[in-house]
Amino acid sequence: METPPDSRREVFAAVALPCAAAVHRFALRLTRDPEIAADILQDVFLRAYRSFDAFEPGSDCRAWLLSIAYSVFVNRRRKDRRSPPLVELSEVDAEQVPEAGWSVQRDLWTGARLETALLALPEEFRAVVVLVLVEELTYEEAAQVLKCPVGTIRSRLFRGRRALFVSLHETAAEAGLLDGARKR
Amino acid sequence: MTGETHPSARLHDLHDGRLPPEARAEVEQHLLSCARCRSELEALRALSGAARQLSGAAPPAGLEAVLRDALDAEDRRSARSGQRRRALVAASALAAAVVLVVWAVRLRSGPDWPALAMTAQEQIERGDLALDLREARPERLEAALRARGASVRVLDLAMMGLQLVGGSVREVGGRTVALIAYRDPQGRILLCEMLPGGDIRLPSPTEERRQGAQLFSVYGRGGRTAVFWREGPVLCVLVGTAPREEVIALAMAKARQPEP
């Protein structure tokens, strides 16, 4: 039986609206553009509202919304010919982490520096890192959102984290913080 | 540590809690003797902690209000669309009912015989409908048509300047219909049809003519005139593009008077 409209709206608001911030964060980190992220957010909620009857009560609404967000993002990028092609994270970036990278002090990894490093990651790695490390989705949930195998999540996360270490290390070195850290 | 193998991928799996117990024990054993891997594990933990902090970033002000407005707009759009859909469904149901009624009436009254006769005449004139039998002698054509199961008498219209071309037998509306075609001096086709049809109810004619006890129902459409009459159980019709009065006069001239 179909849910009465008013009740449907109330249930949707109660279940989905608390996830709005997470969807917005994900959209913002995917697009790196606040305006487009806001558009995607609205699009996601309208699509979700229209297809709310297909949502299984009790399942993870945030993962469902993030999955819609990624589809909306991918469709937009496909339509927008101006978008630059995806850049593959090279093996060199991912594998050759300077030894000093491991000794970077935790207190040097501020939110702002990490955010900058995160946004500099190629999109495919950024999406996985954001979903697993920031939004704390399981590998399986992330695989569902990005519609890829769990093994792909594992390898992208590994390489994405390695690239973040490189980036954070370089930033710290440029700011002259690395030497200080070493001296301590 | 240079030259030593570091289980980096498994280190990440350990950190993420995705190592089976045996592999976990191996990596933990390695960690006891490898400062580099201990540093990397420490870095992984630090990175995860820092990343989790990023999820606490405050959403833009008014985010929820914007979404609620969008949902309100969607509700209004959906309500309008629902009204349109209901109106469309009602209109469709009405149209379907009308079609059903028309269909039922047609089923009860059978085919539109005047329209069928006019269409057959047009098709023969255009050459779209070929005659099965080419025969200019009336008695021979009549015999051939009767042999094919038709209740027919072939009119001899030679005295009126009409040349017999030939004929066919067709099954129309469950009845065996004889078609006899003539050509007038202007090259126009005059078609005569005869079929068992004592029970056939014809639609309202454009005009009715009487000659004695015989009733003629006249139909005119698209420059064609069809004149129907009955000869006992046989329904007869003459169809042509000649002037209306000529077609009616021909029918009246050749129709048999009903038996008293």
Side-chain angles (χ1 to χ4, degrees), chain A:
Chain A
M1 198 172 133
E2 223 171 273
T3 317
D6 286 342
S7 159
R8 182 176 177 273
R9 166 69 185 269
E10 284 163 19
V11 173
F12 179 79
V15 172
L17 283 179
C19 308
V23 177
H24 182 260
R25 284 194 302 267
F26 184 45
L28 190 57
R29 288 182 176 126
L30 281 176
T31 61
R32 296 180 283 204
D33 184 318
E35 210 169 304
I36 299 175
D39 279 354
I40 288 181
L41 178 69
Q42 274 207 28
D43 205 353
V44 168
F45 270 76
L46 288 178
R47 282 175 192 226
Y49 188 38
R50 285 171 198 150
S51 59
F52 191 49
D53 292 335
F55 175 72
E56 201 177 314
S59 58
D60 187 349
C61 186
R62 188 179 58 137
W64 179 57
L65 293 172
L66 291 173
S67 167
I68 298 174
Y70 190 67
S71 295
V72 170
F73 166 71
V74 169
N75 288 338
R76 272 176 169 253
R77 191 188 55 200
R78 205 172 287 147
K79 283 178 192 167
D80 186 1
R81 291 176 183 172
R82 293 167 300 173
S83 293
L86 288 180
V87 180
E88 270 297 316
L89 191 64
S90 73
E91 291 296 331
V92 175
D93 285 344
E95 300 296 339
Q96 295 184 358
V97 182
E99 288 296 317
W102 307 129
S103 59
V104 170
Q105 296 298 305
R106 175 190 304 223
D107 57 352
L108 298 180
W109 293 3
T110 62
R113 287 197 195 104
L114 182 55
E115 187 75 62
T116 306
L118 190 58
L119 294 182
L121 283 178
E123 178 219 302
E124 286 173 328
F125 298 91
R126 195 179 343 129
V128 176
V129 170
V130 167
L131 290 175
V132 177
L133 294 192
V134 181
E135 301 301 335
E136 298 184 84
L137 262 60
T138 63
Y139 283 21
E140 287 73 17
E141 287 169 337
Q144 211 172 348
V145 169
L146 302 179
K147 296 175 182 64
C148 66
V150 172
T152 306
I153 297 295
R154 181 176 177 265
S155 65
R156 285 184 187 172
L157 186 60
F158 176 74
R159 296 169 67 191
R161 273 195 283 222
R162 280 290 184 101
L164 279 179
F165 289 142
V166 172
S167 178
L168 288 167
H169 173 262
E170 285 172 357
T171 310
E174 281 166 17
L177 298 169
L178 201 55
D179 290 336
R182 270 178 171 172
K183 278 171 195 167
R184 275 197 294 231

Side-chain angles (χ1 to χ4, degrees), chain A residues 9 49 139 154 161-162, chain B residues 8 13 16 18 55 63 75:
Chain A
R9 166 69 185 269
Y49 188 38
Y139 283 21
R154 181 176 177 265
R161 273 195 283 222
R162 280 290 184 101
Chain B
S8 280
D13 289 339
D16 293 341
R18 300 188 69 88
S55 68
L63 179 75
D75 280 342

Side-chain angles (χ1 to χ4, degrees), chain B residues 80-159:
Chain B
R80 282 197 302 273
S81 152
Q83 282 169 356
R84 279 199 298 272
R85 195 167 54 244
R86 280 192 292 278
L88 189 63
V89 167
S92 302
L94 182 63
V98 169
V99 168
L100 277 176
V101 167
V102 169
W103 190 52
V105 168
R106 283 199 172 181
L107 267 184
R108 207 167 48 187
S109 60
D112 183 345
W113 291 104
L116 288 174
M118 289 182 194
T119 303
Q121 189 274 344
E122 186 181 1
Q123 288 175 334
I124 292 171
E125 201 159 61
R126 283 185 183 171
D128 294 339
L129 180 62
L131 296 168
D132 299 335
L133 303 163
R134 288 277 168 182
E135 177 57 68
R137 289 164 293 185
E139 66 286 358
R140 290 214 174 186
L141 182 61
E142 186 172 305
L145 294 173
R146 282 179 182 270
R148 294 180 180 220
S151 307
V152 65
R153 74 182 174 96
V154 175
L155 310 174
D156 186 352
L157 302 177
M159 294 293 285

Side-chain angles (χ1 to χ4, degrees), chain B:
Chain B
M1 309 303 293
T2 310
E4 191 175 326
T5 306
H6 302 291
S8 280
R10 288 200 296 164
L11 210 53
H12 284 231
D13 289 339
L14 175 73
H15 169 265
D16 293 341
R18 300 188 69 88
L19 270 188
E22 200 175 313
R24 182 187 169 95
E26 277 177 27
V27 176
E28 282 172 345
Q29 186 65 36
H30 172 83
L31 282 169
L32 293 174
S33 59
C34 182
R36 183 197 179 280
C37 285
R38 283 199 301 275
S39 292
E40 182 166 358
L41 184 59
E42 173 66 16
L44 283 169
R45 287 173 180 152
L47 180 65
S48 293
R52 273 196 295 274
Q53 301 300 313
L54 296 182
S55 68
L63 179 75
E64 196 173 313
V66 168
L67 290 177
R68 284 189 186 279
D69 286 349
L71 295 179
D72 285 343
E74 175 64 14
D75 280 342
R76 285 194 296 273
R77 190 199 64 77
S78 179
R80 282 197 302 273
S81 152
Q83 282 169 356
R84 279 199 298 272
R85 195 167 54 244
R86 280 192 292 278
L88 189 63
V89 167
S92 302
L94 182 63
V98 169
V99 168
L100 277 176
V101 167
V102 169
W103 190 52
V105 168
R106 283 199 172 181
L107 267 184
R108 207 167 48 187
S109 60
D112 183 345
W113 291 104
L116 288 174
M118 289 182 194
T119 303
Q121 189 274 344
E122 186 181 1
Q123 288 175 334
I124 292 171
E125 201 159 61
R126 283 185 183 171
D128 294 339
L129 180 62
L131 296 168
D132 299 335
L133 303 163
R134 288 277 168 182
E135 177 57 68
R137 289 164 293 185
E139 66 286 358
R140 290 214 174 186
L141 182 61
E142 186 172 305
L145 294 173
R146 282 179 182 270
R148 294 180 180 220
S151 307
V152 65
R153 74 182 174 96
V154 175
L155 310 174
D156 186 352
L157 302 177
M159 294 293 285
M160 279 89 167
L162 290 156
Q163 184 191 350
L164 185 60
V165 178
S168 288
V169 176
R170 289 199 302 165
E171 286 296 319
V172 181
R175 297 169 196 265
T176 305
V177 181
L179 292 83
I180 306 111
Y182 303 84
R183 194 179 298 279
D184 72 9
Q186 287 76 37
R188 294 172 299 208
I189 289 289
L190 180 82
L191 177 67
C192 176
E193 286 186 2
M194 292 189 182
L195 60 146
D199 59 331
I200 287 178
R201 287 177 59 188
L202 293 169
S204 298
T206 312
E207 180 189 353
E208 282 185 341
R209 298 272 181 100
R210 279 195 177 275
Q211 180 173 259
Q214 185 62 276
L215 178 69
F216 296 88
S217 300
V218 181
Y219 302 85
R221 291 174 202 166
R224 285 182 173 74
T225 302
V227 184
F228 283 77
W229 74 94
R230 295 177 195 274
E231 295 184 357
V234 178
L235 183 67
C236 309
V237 56
L238 271 183
V239 192
T241 51
R244 177 189 177 91
E245 288 303 323
E246 282 183 28
V247 180
I248 295 171
L250 267 175
M252 287 181 159
K254 288 299 174 182
R256 273 186 188 154
Q257 286 295 316
E259 300 209 354

